[in-house]
Amino acid sequence: MKPAYYITTPIFYVNGAPHIGHAYTMIAADVMARFKRLDGYDVFFLTGTDEHGQKVEKAAQDAGQDPQAFTDQISATFLDLARAMGLSNTQFIRTTEERHKRASQALWQRLQADGHIYLGGYEGWYAIRDEAFYDEGELTVSPSGQKLAPTGAPVEFVTEPSYFFRMSAFQERLIAYIEANPDFIAPQARRNEVLGFLRNKLTDLSISRTGFRWGVPVPGDDAHVMYVWLDALTNYLTALGYPDETAPDWRFWPADLHLVGKDILRFHAVYWPTLLMAAGLPLPKRVYAHGWWTIEGEKMSKSLGNVIDPRELVSAFGLDALRFFLLREVPFGNDGDYGRAAIVRRLNIELANDLGNLAQRTLSFVAKNAGGVMPGRGAATTADTALWAHVANLPGIVAAALDRQAFNDALAAIWVAVRAGNGYIDQQAPWSLRKTAPERMEAVLALLIDVLRVVATLLQPFMPDSMSRMLDQLGIAADARDLASLAMSVPSGTALPQPSGIFPRFVEDAA
Ligand code: MSP
């Protein structure tokens, strides 16, 4: 049986339109999921929407709609985003589904039965925008006198009865777990941030609210709904069939990777593991916190009017160029800036010039001068060995980089091979071998095709559609595109389809 791999995106709040930040997490997770499938794993890839809580209830009220009708509508726009970004997700979960309410209540009851929940009162600060509680000491005051959370979100003082989770009881175990598992929280700087936070005494966590109704009812106490983060985090279990631990998909637990933005790390690296410990469930293997995108140097905001709909970028540049840009432009984990000039540059230089040209030069030359079939291979020269050295270890290098979520290291290594391929064509000049040394010309072309095949196979997770077309042109059967198939070479004489350009240069309209 194939090994299991479970990867998740955060589930998205349905309080507004999807933007490039949402597309980013989705695409990164999709690349991981697709790569693991290529590498022989049975992958469960989850995304979806987070539909309860005060923030969503307020957004529905502002829109003059009933919360369920409102969340139905906005959740559909996220589902549409997932499709538009080419996601290969296994499920799209919604927290308003019945099965999710059941799972959240079952988790609650398990915690309660084991004595991890008690009724008390919450008195303190709450930011609806972040759906988070803050200590007095963390707050700042705006010029107009409004108290603000460290995220800049306005806070309000809340006094209400509340159930608490005895999170404080798990502090030492959590620290020990993080220390024993150096890869649990990544990148390193984020891990240090969490350990820093854990140097202060962990308080118990308020896990129910009474001021509004839009949430999962607390079992046995209708006056309370669950704190939205408790219900939200449980989605990762719901999708696998929890509380039925005999469900077929339950074998995917624990998650291999929760991908999250840096703003929601604490929920995933402190609250979630302690809740799981209390419930007696295994902990996720890794939580990776990525950075945030700004737009042409500015924070994205409705008031600045610079929120970009990723679907518009797809119409302008194509999906694969967008996917490539987002993962190539900045190291995962760092913040990034989206700029139109930057995406055009990546598209024209790396996709059109480097990769597109390497394929086009090679394949159109084969079509015109080598009978349109896989050319004959020859004994390797020093130059051939030098070129092949760039691809021989590439699958392992890319796999290792992706296990660290170092997407741009993986792409950088692939581009070293692509550029070496272009250098090799220039230097070997197959056009001048055509008359004088036709067999050597064939060997040169065959090697280039073998290089392109490795490159295109490894790039499939990043650019599924264009690499599927490139592999078609390279004569690779649909069932021979995984990493294991790289060991088998295409026989000389195999007919190759008529090539056509894959990455046209992007030219700005003169208007
Ligand atoms: N609903 C919670 C997550 C619950 S997971 C159990 C939530 N939703 S969100 O819609 O506000 O954010 C979803 C993800 O989008 C987060 O990982 C967040 O970091 C990410 N991003 C939101 N804006 C972003 C950018 N400008 N850039 C990159 N990612 C951004 O939080």
Side-chain angles (χ1 to χ4, degrees), residues 10-13 19 21 50 229 236 261 263-264 290-293 300:
I11 47 173
F12 303 95
Y13 284 131
H19 57 62
D50 186 355
W229 268 102
Y236 301 135
D263 55 318
I264 56 171
H290 65 68
W292 268 46
W293 285 86
M300 248 185 285

Side-chain angles (χ1 to χ4, degrees), residues 48 55 89 95 113 177 191 288 325 328 333 335-336 341 345 353 361 407 458 468 510:
K55 160 156 133 168
N89 54 305
T95 55
Y177 184 84
R191 176 174 186 264
Y288 191 105
F325 169 78
R328 177 72 175 116
D335 291 336
R345 204 162 47 235
N353 252 10
R361 289 164 93 191
F407 299 97
L458 292 172
S468 145

Side-chain angles (χ1 to χ4, degrees), residues 109 180 356 504:
Q109 281 163 331

